[in-house]
Amino acid sequence: MALRAAEKGFMVVGLDTNVAVVEALNSGVSHIDDVSDDELKTGLSSGYRASNDPAEMATADVIVVCVPTPLSEDGGPDLGAVKGAATAIGEHVQPGALVILESTTYPGTTEEVFAPLVLGPGRQAGTDIRIAFSPERIDPGNREYGVKNTPKVVGGLTPECTRAARDFYAEFIDTVVEAKGAKEAEMAKLLENTFRHVNIALVNEMVRFSHELDIDLWDAIDCAATKPFGYMAFRPGPGVGGHCIPVDPSYLSHRVKAQLGYAFRMVELAEEINTAAPLYVANRVWQALNERKIAVNGARILLLGVTYKANISDRRESPADPLAKRLLEWGAEVRYHDPYVPEWTIKATAGKKLMCEKDLSEAVREADIVVLLQAHSEYDLDGIAAESSHLLDTRGAHFASTAHVSRL
Ligand SMILES: NC(=O)c1ccc[n+]([C@@H]2O[C@H](COP(=O)([O-])OP(=O)(O)OC[C@H]3O[C@@H](n4cnc5c(N)ncnc54)[C@H](O)[C@@H]3O)[C@@H](O)[C@H]2O)c1
């Protein structure tokens, strides 16, 4: 977004507390999959630069906040970065500025947590400083929809705040949608992500009993997807990952529980099913090996693609970790290949570290079973299927026509 704004003639400063990130950006090295070094360098020569000096905010007309909103140890919202950013803004922001929060969070954060720190005592939202929420809607790896052509939802604390945010984004985004207020904009984002979470859980649950009933759910989904109205296809997988789907719905359920005292049952159920998905894959690995009279204990298992989605390097909350952990606990010899991940420290395994297999073809041939977790476009699935003794395809990416290839 910073680069799109710079292209339009804005002077943009990317402010980050991480000095290494700032230095890399200023030297033309991008840490974001979807932003190439060349694109960054073009930005650097046309109005963009990075900084770690919060005093830069004193000269800003617009401040956009997109700091992380992870879960805390107890599974609740961790708004530490949002509060930290808001406090720094409050110390430097000048009257008349527009301040927009983009971090995904529960409805009410902008008004109740963010704005008081930005405004401090005596300043009013709308008159002194305009404050709005606008959800980040980036889909990493998506080549069709980027910042410019993905509609942007904005909701301010006052109608004037909404208008100011709309006018700002309209400078470099094709479509800007005005929400009734900040709470509705916050809720829109959580609705989008909860919708995905719940629908992925639906097929992840259906795939289990479909397998037992000998029904090809993948085929049923393809058939259902031909309905031109009232249906949207979601496909099973090894579990949900990334910073959004496994995390954001928890912000909403936490809010409902904390404020109203009751559970958001759809989210809790979806979490239960999607969290169990990697362990279901482990069971299917066990079953596939068992059919060939091979014990998991000592078996050589090759995992392909350990990021949370295809064609990106982000590993946050990847289902590959709980799957590998379970297989290691069962005594398997786990190996992996991922063109985006040179080395992998498996979460919750006392620092078990693996190096990416150098020769994919050899690793496939040596494995007792190959498990496709992410169908990166680099993978020749026909070749992998032909060379493997068994391929378990958790993505439905390879048409399962032979006895030694199975889909989840
Ligand atoms: N990454 C995505 O695809 C995506 C998509 C939609 C929504 N979001 C939301 O956007 C927000 C940011 O996500 P992300 O993936 O970009 O996070 P990230 O962790 O990759 O990046 C956030 C950056 O913020 C910096 N930071 C932390 N605290 C700061 C502070 N007080 N001041 C300045 N910089 C600070 C960090 O150093 C880091 O470089 C989250 O709320 C996330 O849910 C992300």
Coordinates of all heavy atoms in Angstrom, one line a residue, residues 1 9 45 74 76 91 125 131 192 209 288-289 345 400:
M1 N 0.8 -1.2 0.0 CA 0.0 0.0 0.0 C 0.9 1.3 0.0 O 0.6 2.2 -0.7 CB -0.9 0.0 1.2 CG -2.1 1.0 1.0 SD -3.1 1.0 2.4 CE -2.1 1.8 3.6
G9 N 2.2 9.8 -5.9 CA 2.8 11.1 -5.5 C 2.9 11.5 -4.1 O 3.3 12.5 -3.7
S45 N 12.9 5.4 -5.2 CA 13.3 6.5 -6.0 C 12.1 7.4 -6.3 O 12.3 8.4 -7.0 CB 14.0 6.0 -7.3 OG 13.0 5.2 -8.0
D74 N -2.9 -16.8 26.7 CA -4.1 -17.5 27.1 C -5.1 -17.5 26.0 O -6.3 -17.9 26.2 CB -4.7 -16.7 28.3 CG -5.1 -15.3 28.0 OD1 -4.9 -14.9 26.9 OD2 -5.6 -14.6 28.9
G76 N -6.3 -15.1 24.2 CA -7.1 -13.8 24.0 C -6.3 -12.9 23.1 O -5.2 -13.1 22.7
E91 N 1.9 10.9 21.0 CA 2.9 11.8 21.4 C 3.4 12.7 20.3 O 4.0 13.8 20.5 CB 4.2 10.9 21.8 CG 4.0 10.3 23.2 CD 5.0 9.2 23.5 OE1 5.9 9.0 22.7 OE2 4.8 8.5 24.5
A125 N -12.1 13.4 18.5 CA -12.1 12.7 17.2 C -13.0 13.4 16.3 O -14.2 13.8 16.6 CB -12.5 11.2 17.4
I131 N -10.2 9.9 13.0 CA -9.7 8.5 13.3 C -10.7 7.5 12.6 O -11.9 7.6 12.7 CB -9.7 8.2 14.8 CG1 -8.7 9.2 15.5 CG2 -9.3 6.8 15.1 CD1 -8.5 9.0 17.0
E192 N -15.6 -11.8 7.3 CA -14.9 -12.4 6.2 C -14.1 -13.6 6.6 O -14.2 -14.7 6.0 CB -14.0 -11.4 5.5 CG -14.8 -10.3 4.8 CD -13.9 -9.1 4.4 OE1 -12.6 -9.2 4.4 OE2 -14.4 -8.0 4.2
F209 N -15.9 -38.3 7.2 CA -16.9 -39.4 7.0 C -17.1 -39.7 5.6 O -17.5 -40.9 5.3 CB -18.2 -39.0 7.8 CG -18.9 -37.8 7.4 CD1 -19.7 -37.8 6.2 CD2 -19.0 -36.7 8.2 CE1 -20.4 -36.7 5.8 CE2 -19.7 -35.6 7.8 CZ -20.4 -35.5 6.6
A288 N -2.4 -45.3 5.5 CA -1.8 -45.6 4.2 C -0.6 -46.5 4.3 O -0.4 -47.5 3.5 CB -1.4 -44.4 3.4
L289 N 0.2 -46.3 5.3 CA 1.4 -47.1 5.6 C 1.0 -48.5 6.1 O 1.6 -49.5 5.6 CB 2.4 -46.5 6.6 CG 3.1 -45.2 6.1 CD1 3.8 -44.5 7.3 CD2 4.1 -45.6 5.0
T345 N 12.5 -25.1 11.7 CA 12.5 -25.5 13.2 C 11.0 -25.8 13.5 O 10.2 -24.9 13.5 CB 13.1 -24.4 14.0 OG1 14.4 -24.1 13.6 CG2 13.1 -24.8 15.5
A400 N -6.4 -38.2 -8.5 CA -6.1 -39.5 -7.9 C -6.6 -40.6 -8.8 O -7.8 -40.9 -8.7 CB -6.7 -39.6 -6.5

